[in-house]
Amino acid sequence: MNSTVRLPGRIGPNALLITAAAIPLTGWAVHAATLHKRLAATRRDPLTGLLRRDAYTTRARRLLARHGDDLAVVMVDADHFKAVNDTLGHAAGDAVLAAFGARLTTWAGPRAAVGRLGGDEFAVVLELTPGRRERRLQQLVRMLHTPVTLDDERTVDVAASVGAAAPDVLGTRDLTVLQRAADAALYDGKHSGRAVLATAEQAAVPSINGRRAGRPGTAVWGRAA
């Protein structure tokens, strides 16, 4: 009886190359996935989950180029926000901002560009046909005037001012012009409890970095949107 034990045949050079290549590729796949998650995280504001300024601008311009006149650019400022921080603390202020972010996201829907531009200032670009603008903007105002409940069960009365601009009204799809006009409309209706749709006159207001000239903070913004 032959008791010879046969060892596996030699592994060819091609198999060795494939095996050797698979090891670093596996490592790179994990690295790439981790890097992708980190890059995605840098696009979003950690407090509200909204797009940061650059990511918002990129998506907003893409929407404007694609959908044109059936869009609206909406600017939002929290009213009396400093008083919330001063009287209830910064944790309460953060809760208000997070609540505003969630409400804006719910209102605008998944296909919109929703960004936190800084502090208590937000911007939205969404599909919004002319016949629905007034009703939907007033719906947003009501949502942003709903009290916020904190973790300790205290409630905070909140409010926000809202301005909007539409390409078909102003005759442009330029994001900087539309944001400037929406910003001017927002300040014309500040603390009024109503959303204001920008006119051609508001589009002519001078701007600094795409915001209404003279508004608080315009001198410190980065590049124009």
Side-chain angles (χ1 to χ4, degrees), residues 114-127:
V114 187
R116 182 186 179 195
L117 300 187
D120 58 347
E121 298 167 333
F122 307 88
V124 182
V125 176
L126 77 162
E127 293 182 63

Side-chain angles (χ1 to χ4, degrees), residues 110-184:
R111 292 185 292 182
V114 187
R116 182 186 179 195
L117 300 187
D120 58 347
E121 298 167 333
F122 307 88
V124 182
V125 176
L126 77 162
E127 293 182 63
L128 196 55
T129 57
R132 301 176 62 213
R133 281 178 194 147
E134 183 176 355
R135 179 177 61 83
R136 290 278 279 132
L137 288 171
Q138 292 308 322
Q139 178 191 46
L140 176 60
V141 171
R142 289 193 298 272
M143 290 175 69
L144 296 177
H145 281 66
T146 303
V148 173
T149 302
L150 305 179
D151 288 341
D152 59 8
E153 302 303 323
R154 289 181 297 170
T155 59
V156 182
D157 290 330
V158 294
S161 296
V162 177
D168 64 311
V169 174
L170 301 184
T172 181
R173 296 184 185 182
D174 186 282
L175 180 62
T176 299
V177 174
L178 292 166
Q179 283 192 173
R180 179 179 67 213
D183 201 48

Side-chain angles (χ1 to χ4, degrees), residues 53 64 114 188 208:
R53 185 179 180 86
L64 283 164
V114 187
D188 282 351
I208 299 173

Side-chain angles (χ1 to χ4, degrees), residues 51-142:
L51 295 173
R52 293 180 186 268
R53 185 179 180 86
D54 286 350
Y56 155 78
T57 299
T58 299
R59 179 161 177 75
R61 284 180 169 155
R62 189 179 300 126
L63 288 170
L64 283 164
R66 184 182 304 161
H67 297 289
D69 292 348
D70 287 336
L71 288 178
V73 176
V74 182
M75 303 293 285
V76 175
D77 265 1
D79 291 339
H80 311 298
F81 182 70
K82 185 176 183 299
V84 174
N85 278 334
D86 290 346
T87 59
L88 298 175
H90 288 280
D94 287 350
V96 169
L97 294 176
F100 272 25
R103 292 172 186 183
L104 286 168
T105 299
T106 298
W107 176 77
R111 292 185 292 182
V114 187
R116 182 186 179 195
L117 300 187
D120 58 347
E121 298 167 333
F122 307 88
V124 182
V125 176
L126 77 162
E127 293 182 63
L128 196 55
T129 57
R132 301 176 62 213
R133 281 178 194 147
E134 183 176 355
R135 179 177 61 83
R136 290 278 279 132
L137 288 171
Q138 292 308 322
Q139 178 191 46
L140 176 60
V141 171
R142 289 193 298 272

